[in-house]
Amino acid sequence: MSFADSKEQFLKYLNFEKRFSANTSSAYNNDLSQFFSFLETEYQITLLNEINHTIVRSWIVKMMEAEISARSVNRKITAIKTFYKFLERQELITENPMLKVQTPKTAKRLPVYVEKEKMNFLQANDEPSLICFNEILLFYTHTHTHTHTHTHT
């Protein structure tokens, strides 16, 4: 089966059966396109049954050498793994090369702490200031949702 046909079936599956968001489907589409482009350029592979785990690992190495973050690489690997699970369920492949592929380790985030003086201020005052409350709210949001705050200049 061709890459284009299998990708089209997979994206329909994501959108209509799995009900993935438009952003996730778009990201998976881009990840698959990048993977297929790599296969065609580096290995002249155009059929799914020609792909093995060594080839997939070489794609991962190439991304890491291009200094793509481990987190982004892991998302791309997840997209490809999901794609191959779909192909297995549809009986479009006999072997899944992703079973032998491991994801790169991602850096652990260090915990963020509230400064001691601000905690002492909060404990000493019955009514904390709005500034302290906002900082605590930002701290809570950052530590519990793993989002970053950015200031625009």
Side-chain angles (χ1 to χ4, degrees), residues 17-134:
E17 290 185 42
K18 295 299 277 181
R19 319 249 323 132
F20 276 30
S21 73
N23 287 341
T24 302
S25 292
S26 177
Y28 277 35
N29 182 28
N30 290 335
D31 295 339
L32 285 169
S33 294
Q34 290 170 12
F35 180 58
F36 295 154
S37 176
F38 169 80
L39 295 170
E40 291 171 0
T41 303
E42 299 291 323
Y43 293 95
Q44 295 73 49
I45 291 176
T46 58
L47 299 174
L48 293 169
N49 61 357
E50 298 176 314
I51 303 166
N52 62 44
H53 69 280
T54 306
I55 292 170
V56 176
R57 286 180 185 162
S58 71
W59 176 61
I60 295 168
V61 168
K62 185 168 183 164
M63 288 188 289
M64 298 300 281
E65 287 174 348
E67 297 185 6
I68 296 174
S69 73
R71 191 172 178 182
S72 293
V73 171
N74 284 339
R75 195 213 59 235
K76 292 175 186 300
I77 293 169
T78 298
I80 306 304
K81 283 185 175 188
T82 305
F83 174 66
Y84 270 94
K85 285 180 187 174
F86 165 78
L87 295 175
E88 279 184 313
R89 282 190 210 109
Q90 298 298 312
E91 298 180 355
L92 298 173
I93 58 169
T94 55
E95 289 187 38
N96 183 345
M98 298 306 291
L99 295 176
K100 295 182 181 178
V101 174
Q102 293 184 347
T103 57
K105 295 201 183 283
T106 55
K108 300 284 185 199
R109 294 181 189 211
L110 295 174
V112 179
Y113 298 97
V114 176
E115 295 173 17
K116 185 176 181 178
E117 294 81 28
K118 290 181 182 172
M119 287 303 292
N120 288 339
F121 176 80
L122 285 172
Q123 291 172 341
N125 293 296
D126 290 334
E127 295 183 33
S129 72
L130 185 57
I131 293 171
C132 273
F133 178 74
N134 283 340

Side-chain angles (χ1 to χ4, degrees), residues 5-21:
D5 291 340
S6 59
K7 184 172 80 166
E8 184 179 329
Q9 285 183 23
F10 175 64
L11 293 173
K12 285 180 183 176
Y13 165 77
L14 292 182
N15 292 324
F16 301 115
E17 290 185 42
K18 295 299 277 181
R19 319 249 323 132
F20 276 30
S21 73

